[in-house]
RNA sequence: GCCGAAGUGGCGGAAUGGCAUACGCGGUGGUCUCAAAAACCACUGGAGGUUGCUCCUUGUGGGUUCGAAUCCCACCUUCGGCACCA
């Protein structure tokens, strides 16, 4: 057969040609169109770091492919792009190299625009938004003022990380390592208290939580947000100090109130100074000073041993009336709940640890649900050790005989259930020798003496028990509490405390209340008595938006000595960032030293006033950028054109990195809810669907970094293999949500595939000499339509890797079919057109070129997505699997519509199957239509 | 510690109750060439074999089922998030 060589595939020429044509014809310009359903596709706003790296490609190319797919499926697709242009790297470049942040940023954007165009994405460049331009940040400032007017912005003192050597405040990501040192000079950072602006995101905590049920986001991201919001239900209970000051605590376990044997306040708690007795003053002051020096992170290190000091003061437990000591400790955080806790050491691990360390009393008030208890029978403590052991065995009680220190062998007994415990104690009472005791711990805490059984059911009981034990066995003189004594025995440790719900015990009138209703009953009772009420607490904190930096949107607030704090009048926006500032770090905003900026006049009294000199967190800019896109730099009196917004919003499909799960994605949801309450939008959630892609790793399976030297520069591959190859390879690596590693040989393989497509479409064979058989044509069409189905389903579900695998398989089939008589039939032409349309979202330039060669009308990207015909895709012949006792013994080619009886008969008649059946009788025959016959013998 | 994701050939991965290892990379052999590269073709999980076949294999151990990579239980490893949150 004679072949006419196709022109060589020259990706670079072809891609620049089509990019120019797409631009010239305005192919991706987007306008409202009420005849088509709209689809707002969005990929996360890039930061203009300088060069487009492979990570940008990995995030954006598949997102573009999906947007193109939606467009071919009849949607009016809006796929905008812009730049998150404020932020630290620009300012650092200014400090280090003397380039103005604006110039650095705008130069980077200019370079990235060119690189982004090389990707061949369908971006609506006419909607580009750059967040550092005054026309943009005017609206960022507008949002600040609106939030302020709604009471959602407020100012308070809050700590920032500060590097004493660089003399500058640091962002969270600039603080590194366990020892929390400065990213640039490795000096350990210190905390500084500064008066800063916050947004009251906590006002929407419940809505942010509940809204998660309404959006199609990955469960992983929703779980992270739920975790971050950290809603916990419980009660607020008011204790009183002995002097009478109210002292409120938050607890999730009001059912354990009777077991609250002490209280702990955060060292910063305002009541501490008043409560501390003169004798304890010195210790408390020292501890408070030490706690203040530590960073929040240091304080929160879990593995650290508990510390604390006694204030000398006492409180009254409101339910038991008992006098309990008040301590301070840094394991209690001022920022959560009320900054004070009731400590229930018997049912909280932290309180237990604290109580054991400081000799505070521990009383169990909740029954163990598992009924487990332990007892150690010391050598010589019972009348007849062997007989006792025998009694245990005959009563089905488990024990182990092992040495107890150097005293000889004892019995380590494990009990289960109230009945066993009861009988054990009775038996022990009968066996225990005078001058000894035995204890049962766990499900019951009972001390068996020769004349009585004492239960640990109150603080006082504990004291009596301990006193008697000391008189019997002096070596325990050192122990301050019964529990401390028991804790010294490792055998007991796992049954001393539990945090489960269970029947209330030792709790006055509530004793006997079942675990399931304990919490609600106690809360109801507390409310009736006026001692407390149901309460919900959140882990979520308000959003700190002040940055002591130059390169950000100035916070539009004015401080007047006479009129106080007030927002800049809307008509005066934007508050322009001055160009002429000194960036040298001082630990404060460079704007503070710009007199022309700082000094202003009061909009109310006209007198001299000062501007706020801090700028805003860049997460502010990115909280509303998807609204800006619909009409960038809008000139009206709201941030975006309401008509455009009404048509395009909200975002239908968002894609981006999972690293934004709790910051950006939480802030933008908060913004949308606030915007709804301002009357700007009529929906609750900004992004209906979210897909989070994984990370692209270096060839060595490690995160790409300059120091590792495993960074891949996409430009190198774009110039040689072409953008289409890079795009398609990134999509082929593996499931998009899992990320994957770069492979320089893998991308060659993809390039080969693209070349094979090129050749199968463009290389001309001689016409076949014989006409094609019907069966051959049917098979070709079956393959075509099956491929349409797979590729459609896979791209819709972001499974680009398997979509490409299906296309490779289809192409491999076409390479063979080309040598047969189906070549140049109508079915052949259908196959080539289909192949071209199916690859259009993945490799847009290649598809456009091939489409032109096939005689299709410009542009391939405006064509309808091919539909598949299930009748054509259906198999005529299937492989019927025959199993004998679950093992495959034969594969039969049978008509797809074979009758059950025929299939079974064929299976049983197969020679290999017969060998396994031999003379045995068939016990069961399973038939799955179209799949298999399973024979059980 | 809690929450989440993942574990399959030499490698990336496919298959979510019915042929394990699709597709690609790598490897081996071949065609073409003076030669090489490229391209193309064939083979490629392991072990055995009487080669028109068998056994083993999806992190480990159990279970459910005619049948399990897939469902259930327990455990191990890796990665991500949160972490003294009362």
């Amino acid at each position: 057969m004679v072949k006419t060589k196709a022109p060589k595939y020259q990706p670079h020429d072809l891609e620049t040609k089509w990019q120019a044509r797409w631009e010239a014809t305005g192919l991706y310009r987007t306008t409202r169109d009420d005849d088509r359903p709209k689809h707002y596709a969005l990929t996360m706003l890039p930061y203009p770091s300088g060069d487009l790296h492979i990570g940008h490609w990995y995030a954006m190319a598949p997102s573009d492919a999906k947007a193109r797919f939606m467009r071919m499926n009849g949607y009016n697709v809006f796929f905008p792009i812009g730049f998150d242009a404020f932020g630290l790297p620009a300012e650092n470049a200014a400090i280090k190299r003397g380039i103005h942040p604006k110039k650095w940023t705008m130069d980077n954007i200019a370079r990235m625009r060119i690189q982004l165009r090389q990707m061949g994405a369908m971006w609506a460049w006419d909607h580009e938004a750059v967040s550092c331009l005054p026309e943009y940040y005017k609206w960022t400032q507008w949002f600040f003022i609106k939030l302020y007017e709604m009471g959602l912005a407020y100012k308070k003192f809050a700590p920032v990380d500060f590097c004493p050597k660089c003399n500058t405040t640091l962002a969270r990501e600039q603080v590194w390592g366990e020892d929390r040192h400065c990213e640039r000079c490795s000096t350990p950072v210190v905390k500084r208290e500064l008066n800063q602006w916050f947004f009251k995101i906590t006002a929407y905590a419940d809505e942010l939580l509940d809204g998660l049920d309404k959006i199609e986001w990955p469960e992983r991201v929703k779980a992270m947000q739920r975790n971050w919001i950290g809603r916990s239900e419980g009660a607020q209970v008011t204790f009183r100090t002995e002097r009478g000051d109210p002292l409120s605590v938050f607890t999730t376990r009001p059912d354990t109130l009777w077991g609250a044997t002490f209280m702990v306040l955060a060292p910063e708690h305002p009541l501490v100074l008043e409560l501390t007795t003169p004798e304890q003053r010195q210790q408390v002051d020292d501890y408070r000073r030490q706690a203040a020096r530590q960073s929040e992170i240091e304080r929160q290190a879990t593995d650290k041993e508990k510390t604390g000091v006694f204030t000398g003061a006492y409180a009254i437990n409101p339910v038991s009336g008992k006098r309990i000591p008040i301590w301070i400790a840094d394991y209690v955080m001022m920022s959560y709940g009320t900054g004070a806790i009731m400590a229930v050491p018997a049912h909280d691990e932290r309180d237990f640890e604290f109580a054991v360390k400081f000799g505070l009393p521990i009383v169990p008030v909740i029954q163990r649900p598992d009924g487990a208890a332990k007892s150690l029978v010391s050598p010589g403590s019972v009348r007849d050790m062997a007989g006792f052991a025998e009694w245990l065995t005959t009563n089905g009680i488990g024990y182990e005989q092992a040495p107890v220190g150097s005293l000889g062998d004892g019995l380590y007994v494990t009990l289960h259930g109230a009945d066993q415990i009861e009988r054990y104690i009775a038996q022990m009472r009968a066996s225990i020798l005078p001058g000894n005791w035995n204890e049962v711990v766990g499900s019951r805490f009972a001390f068996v003496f020769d004349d009585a059984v004492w239960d640990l059911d109150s603080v006082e009981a504990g004291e009596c028990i301990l006193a008697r034990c000391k008189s019997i066995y002096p070596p325990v003189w050192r122990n301050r509490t019964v529990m401390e004594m028991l804790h010294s025995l490792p055998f007991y440790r796992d049954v001393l405390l539990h945090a489960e719900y269970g029947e209330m015990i030792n709790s006055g009138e509530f004793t006997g209340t079942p675990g399931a209703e304990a919490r609600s009953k106690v809360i109801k009772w507390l409310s009736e008595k006026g001692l407390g009420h149901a309460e919900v607490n959140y882990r979520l904190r308000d959003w700190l938006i002040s940055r002591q930096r130059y390169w950000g949107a100035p916070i539009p607030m004015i401080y007047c000595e006479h009129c106080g704090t007030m927002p800049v009048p809307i008509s005066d926006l934007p508050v322009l960032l001055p160009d002429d500032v000194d960036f040298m770090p001082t630990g404060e905003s460079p704007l503070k030293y710009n007199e022309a900026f700082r000094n202003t006049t009061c909009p109310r009294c006209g007198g001299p006033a000062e501007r706020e000199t801090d700028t805003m967190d860049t997460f502010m800019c990115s909280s509303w950028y998807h609204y800006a896109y619909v009409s960038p730099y809008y000139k009206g009196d709201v941030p975006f054109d309401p008509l455009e917004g009404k048509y395009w919003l909200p975002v239908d499909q968002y894609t981006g990195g999972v690293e934004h799960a709790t910051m950006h994605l939480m802030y933008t949801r908060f913004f949308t809810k606030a915007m709804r309450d301002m009357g700007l939008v009529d929906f609750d959630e900004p992004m209906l669907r979210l897909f989070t892609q994984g990370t692209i790793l270096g060839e060595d399976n490690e995160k790409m970094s300059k120091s590792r030297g495993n960074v891949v520069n996409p430009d190198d591959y774009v110039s040689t293999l072409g953008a289409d190859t890079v795009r398609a390879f990134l999509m082929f690596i593996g499931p998009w949500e899992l990320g994957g590693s770069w492979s320089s040989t893998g991308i060659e393989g993809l390039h080969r595939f693209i070349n094979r497509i090129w050749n199968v479409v463009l290389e001309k064979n001689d016409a076949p000499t014989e006409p094609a058989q019907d069966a051959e044509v049917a098979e070709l069409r079956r393959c075509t339509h099956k491929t349409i189905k797979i590729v459609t389903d896979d791209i819709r579900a972001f499974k680009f890797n398997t979509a490409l695998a299906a296309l490779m398989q289809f192409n491999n089939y076409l390479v063979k079919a080309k040598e047969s008589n189906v070549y140049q039939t109508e079915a052949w032409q259908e196959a080539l057109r289909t192949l071209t349309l199916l690859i259009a979202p993945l490799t847009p330039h290649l598809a456009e070129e091939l489409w032109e060669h096939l005689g299709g009308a410009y542009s391939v990207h405006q064509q309808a997505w091919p539909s598949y015909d299930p009748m054509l895709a259906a198999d005529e012949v299937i492989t019927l699997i025959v199993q004998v006792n679950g093992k495959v013994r034969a594969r039969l080619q049978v008509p797809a519509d074979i009758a059950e009886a025929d299939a079974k008969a064929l299976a049983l008649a197969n020679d290999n199957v017969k060998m396994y059946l031999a003379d045995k009788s068939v016990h069961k025959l399973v038939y799955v239509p179209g799949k298999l016959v399973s024979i059980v013998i």
Side-chain angles (χ1 to χ4, degrees):
Chain A
M1 197 170 293
V2 181
K3 289 185 183 175
T4 313
K5 280 288 246 186
K8 196 173 178 321
Y9 172 55
Q10 308 263 25
H12 184 74
D13 298 350
L14 179 158
E15 286 171 2
T16 33
K17 177 182 85 180
W18 285 115
Q19 281 161 18
R21 176 106 185 257
W22 292 336
E23 192 135 1
T25 56
L27 187 63
Y28 304 128
R29 218 163 283 152
T30 321
T31 48
R32 282 178 278 140
D33 175 359
D34 289 323
D35 295 339
R36 284 182 294 165
K38 69 94 182 179
H39 181 82
Y40 188 165
L42 183 66
T43 175
M44 283 182 184
L45 185 66
Y47 179 79
S49 51
D51 269 302
L52 202 64
H53 54 79
I54 200 75
H56 288 115
W57 279 74
Y58 191 71
M60 293 170 169
S63 191
D64 172 63
K66 181 67 188 295
R68 290 177 176 281
F69 170 80
M70 294 304 284
R71 178 177 175 158
M72 291 177 79
N73 275 281
Y75 289 88
N76 186 24
V77 176
F78 181 43
F79 188 53
I81 185 79
F83 296 95
D84 186 18
F86 273 134
L88 270 179
E91 200 160 335
N92 288 339
I95 294 165
K96 231 193 264 173
R97 285 178 277 160
I99 311 165
H100 194 281
K102 187 194 268 177
K103 180 174 163 40
W104 185 87
T105 303
M106 295 314 284
D107 287 354
N108 284 353
I109 289 175
R111 187 158 61 249
M112 284 177 79
R113 280 194 190 112
I114 295 167
Q115 291 172 312
L116 279 165
R117 272 166 220 260
Q118 287 174 353
M119 201 185 285
M122 57 171 286
W123 278 308
W125 282 104
D126 53 334
H127 284 254
E128 184 202 62
V130 176
S131 69
C132 68
L133 299 180
E135 296 78 10
Y136 186 99
Y137 69 71
K138 165 189 168 179
W139 292 114
T140 309
Q141 292 171 336
W142 184 91
F143 275 115
F144 181 95
I145 292 169
K146 288 293 162 190
L147 292 170
Y148 177 77
E149 287 170 356
M150 290 168 78
L152 291 172
Y154 66 95
K155 214 174 180 189
K156 72 169 182 193
F157 276 91
V160 289
D161 289 312
F162 181 81
C163 173
K165 189 164 173 214
C166 303
N167 204 24
T168 184
T169 56
L170 301 173
R172 198 194 309 212
E173 61 271 21
Q174 293 176 297
V175 180
W176 287 71
E178 292 271 301
D179 63 337
R180 300 186 41 77
H181 62 265
C182 168
E183 139 190 274
R184 257 178 298 162
C185 68
S186 298
T187 310
V189 302
V190 296
K191 287 275 175 194
R192 266 200 174 183
E193 287 283 323
L194 293 175
N195 201 10
Q196 308 189 77
W197 284 98
F198 285 82
F199 284 153
K200 219 180 266 177
I201 189 170
T202 51
Y204 289 90
D206 266 325
E207 220 199 314
L208 286 167
L209 190 65
D210 297 341
L212 293 171
D213 297 331
K214 294 189 287 191
I215 46 182
E216 288 176 53
W217 284 21
E219 279 310 316
R220 183 155 69 119
V221 173
K222 290 191 194 182
M224 280 190 207
Q225 292 213 345
R226 288 195 186 103
N227 210 322
W228 190 262
I229 295 166
R231 182 188 153 101
S232 66
E233 291 176 23
Q236 166 130 205
V237 185
T238 306
F239 284 59
R240 279 189 190 276
T241 65
E242 237 175 350
R243 308 184 325 180
D245 321 84
L247 186 45
S248 284
V249 300
F250 172 72
T251 177
T252 53
R253 294 298 300 273
D255 56 322
T256 65
L257 246 168
W258 283 262
T261 50
F262 59 100
M263 295 187 82
V264 186
L265 309 190
E268 313 88 320
H269 195 285
L271 221 48
V272 173
L273 287 176
E274 293 174 43
L275 288 176
T276 306
T277 57
E279 310 82 72
Q280 297 299 110
R281 173 75 52 198
Q282 187 62 45
Q283 271 200 58
V284 167
D285 284 352
D286 288 350
Y287 188 78
R288 277 163 55 92
R289 216 170 301 123
Q290 180 203 327
R293 259 208 312 272
Q294 283 178 332
S295 69
E296 188 96 347
I297 298 283
E298 277 167 349
R299 262 181 70 167
Q300 288 180 0
T302 15
D303 45 357
K304 159 188 141 183
E305 207 185 320
K306 297 230 167 354
T307 59
V309 296
F310 180 41
T311 60
Y314 289 84
I316 304 300
N317 181 323
V319 298
S320 65
K322 299 261 172 70
R323 189 169 174 261
I324 58 176
I326 303 172
W327 285 61
I328 62 170
D330 64 5
Y331 81 93
V332 175
M333 307 288 146
M334 196 58 226
S335 51
Y336 185 80
T338 61
I341 62 159
M342 63 175 209
V344 184
H347 305 291
D348 181 285
E349 214 177 318
R350 298 152 299 179
D351 297 344
F352 182 86
E353 197 191 319
F354 194 80
V356 168
K357 177 162 178 190
F358 293 106
L360 293 159
I362 302 171
V363 179
V365 293
I366 303 291
Q367 184 60 266
R368 276 188 86 89
D370 64 2
K374 286 183 170 184
S375 179
L376 170 60
V377 185
S378 298
S381 66
V382 292
R383 240 175 286 284
D384 169 13
M385 193 67 123
F388 194 85
E390 205 184 307
W391 180 87
L392 291 173
T393 310
T394 49
N395 281 270
I397 295 172
Y399 69 92
E400 261 183 67
Q401 191 164 341
V404 179
S406 54
L407 305 172
D409 273 6
L411 305 176
Y412 290 84
V413 181
T414 308
L415 300 152
H416 292 285
D419 181 54
Q420 268 196 2
I421 296 169
E422 202 70 22
R423 281 187 293 128
Y424 176 85
I425 290 173
Q427 181 68 22
M428 180 54 75
R429 265 208 79 171
S431 314
I432 193 92
L433 286 165
N436 285 281
W437 85 83
N438 178 267
E439 70 277 331
V440 172
V441 307
S443 193
R444 185 169 163 189
F445 286 83
F447 287 72
V448 182
F449 301 99
D450 60 339
D451 57 349
V453 177
W454 291 358
D455 273 274
L456 174 60
D457 53 9
S458 67
V459 177
E460 296 74 25
E463 285 165 3
C464 293
I465 292 165
L466 186 66
R468 181 149 185 199
C469 292
K470 283 181 181 175
S471 72
I472 291 172
Y473 187 60
V476 299
W477 66 271
R478 238 183 320 176
N479 293 307
R480 293 158 296 182
T481 61
V482 175
M483 208 57 94
E484 187 184 12
M485 178 177 84
L486 298 174
H487 187 73
S488 61
L489 224 59
F491 175 58
Y492 286 153
R493 285 202 184 146
D494 58 331
V495 289
L496 292 183
L497 103 137
H498 76 93
E500 248 99 324
Y501 285 96
E503 188 185 313
M504 292 173 70
I505 53 172
N506 307 327
S507 299
E509 59 182 290
F510 276 89
T511 298
T513 309
E517 48 197 75
R519 229 169 71 146
S520 56
K521 278 201 165 164
V522 173
I523 291 177
K524 188 157 167 271
W525 180 81
L526 286 169
S527 312
E528 283 163 10
K529 294 260 176 182
L531 295 171
H533 54 86
E535 171 110 334
V536 176
N537 248 288
Y538 302 91
R539 206 195 72 102
L540 183 72
R541 306 290 158 84
D542 280 338
W543 174 14
L544 191 165
I545 59 127
S546 292
R547 296 291 180 269
Q548 294 71 40
R549 290 286 170 176
Y550 164 71
W551 193 234
I555 293 173
M557 296 299 287
I558 291 173
Y559 305 105
C560 168
E561 221 169 286
H562 302 289
C563 311
T565 301
M566 77 202 78
V568 171
I570 298 280
S571 56
D572 290 354
L573 295 182
V575 175
L576 284 174
L577 197 57
D579 286 338
D580 180 25
V581 296
D582 183 3
F583 304 113
M584 278 307 114
T586 61
E588 286 173 305
S589 170
L591 295 177
K592 197 161 193 169
Y593 300 94
N594 187 300
E595 299 289 322
F597 176 85
R598 199 183 76 217
N599 297 321
T600 183
T601 52
C602 171
R604 198 169 300 161
C605 71
E610 287 197 7
R611 285 189 194 282
E612 167 69 59
T613 53
D614 282 355
T615 52
M616 288 186 247
D617 180 6
T618 54
F619 278 122
M620 276 253 347
C621 313
S622 56
S623 287
W624 72 280
Y625 77 103
H626 43 292
Y627 296 102
Y629 278 156
V630 302
S631 56
Y633 319 126
Y634 190 56
K635 298 260 189 310
D637 53 11
V638 285
F640 58 89
D641 184 339
L643 266 175
E644 296 287 338
K646 186 88 199 139
Y647 179 78
W648 290 115
L649 297 168
V651 172
D652 294 286
Q653 179 66 62
Y654 198 26
T655 65
V658 73
E659 65 273 20
H660 293 111
T662 49
M663 308 275 271
H664 163 61
L665 288 172
M666 192 75 90
Y667 298 144
T668 189
R669 292 183 63 220
F670 160 67
F671 246 69
T672 296
K673 289 171 198 305
M675 285 167 74
R676 178 204 56 205
D677 293 345
M678 291 172 204
L680 279 179
V681 296
D682 58 3
F683 47 83
D684 304 319
E685 291 289 342
M687 294 104 182
L688 303 178
R689 274 178 298 273
L690 170 71
F691 190 95
T692 50
Q693 83 270 350
T695 334
I696 177 94
L697 303 172
E699 195 134 23
D700 52 1
N701 287 321
E702 300 283 346
K703 225 176 144 102
M704 284 191 200
S705 73
K706 277 184 195 145
S707 57
R708 278 205 188 84
N710 61 353
V711 176
V712 172
N713 178 8
D715 293 358
D716 299 344
Y717 290 93
V718 171
S719 57
T720 52
L721 304 178
D724 283 338
T725 295
V726 176
R727 288 172 60 110
F729 174 63
L730 290 171
M731 292 186 238
F732 185 66
I733 288 175
W736 196 28
E737 69 271 28
L738 297 182
S741 315
W742 181 261
S743 161
S744 50
T745 49
I747 193 168
E748 298 284 347
L750 225 120
H751 192 62
R752 272 196 285 276
F753 163 61
I754 284 181
N755 261 301
R756 278 200 299 271
I757 291 183
W758 179 265
N759 289 330
V760 95
V761 176
L762 297 184
E763 211 169 69
K764 300 262 187 299
N765 283 7
D766 278 352
T769 44
E770 289 168 53
Q773 306 278 308
D774 286 353
E776 286 179 293
V777 171
E779 192 186 297
L780 173 60
R781 298 202 72 193
R782 186 156 50 242
C783 197
T784 304
H785 283 256
K786 274 183 171 175
T787 305
I788 296 172
K789 176 167 168 48
I790 296 170
V791 173
T792 307
D793 293 348
D794 284 354
I795 295 184
R796 183 167 288 133
F798 292 99
K799 288 158 69 179
F800 303 103
N801 56 329
T802 48
L804 274 157
L807 286 164
M808 286 173 177
Q809 230 162 337
F810 184 42
N811 192 57
N812 290 346
Y813 176 81
L814 292 181
V815 168
K816 288 207 172 77
K818 197 173 181 178
E819 310 297 324
S820 78
N821 296 329
V822 297
Y823 179 55
Q824 285 189 354
T825 58
E826 223 172 281
W828 176 255
Q829 292 305 322
E830 180 198 22
L832 293 191
R833 275 199 309 275
T834 302
L835 176 66
T836 306
L837 292 167
L838 294 180
I839 57 162
L842 311 173
T843 56
H845 314 87
L846 172 76
E848 193 76 282
E849 180 75 15
L850 295 180
W851 187 247
E852 191 184 54
H853 280 285
L854 288 171
Y858 180 81
S859 154
V860 70
H861 303 295
Q862 286 167 305
Q863 304 305 312
W865 188 253
S867 55
Y868 89 101
D869 182 341
M871 297 291 282
L872 290 173
D875 282 312
E876 281 168 21
V877 176
I878 55 151
T879 305
L880 187 74
I881 304 303
V882 185
Q883 294 183 345
V884 180
N885 280 351
K887 300 217 155 160
V888 179
R889 295 302 178 194
R891 300 181 174 95
L892 310 173
Q893 299 300 311
V894 300
D897 57 354
I898 189 168
E900 177 169 351
D902 296 342
K904 285 178 174 172
L906 262 174
L908 290 167
N910 179 274
D911 283 345
N912 199 39
V913 170
K914 272 197 211 151
M915 248 174 58
Y916 285 92
L917 294 182
D919 51 342
K920 290 168 209 120
S921 64
V922 175
H923 181 68
K924 192 172 170 186
L925 209 52
V926 180
Y927 175 65
V928 182
K931 291 210 167 119
L932 89 162
V933 174
S934 183
I935 304 163
V936 189
I937 52 173

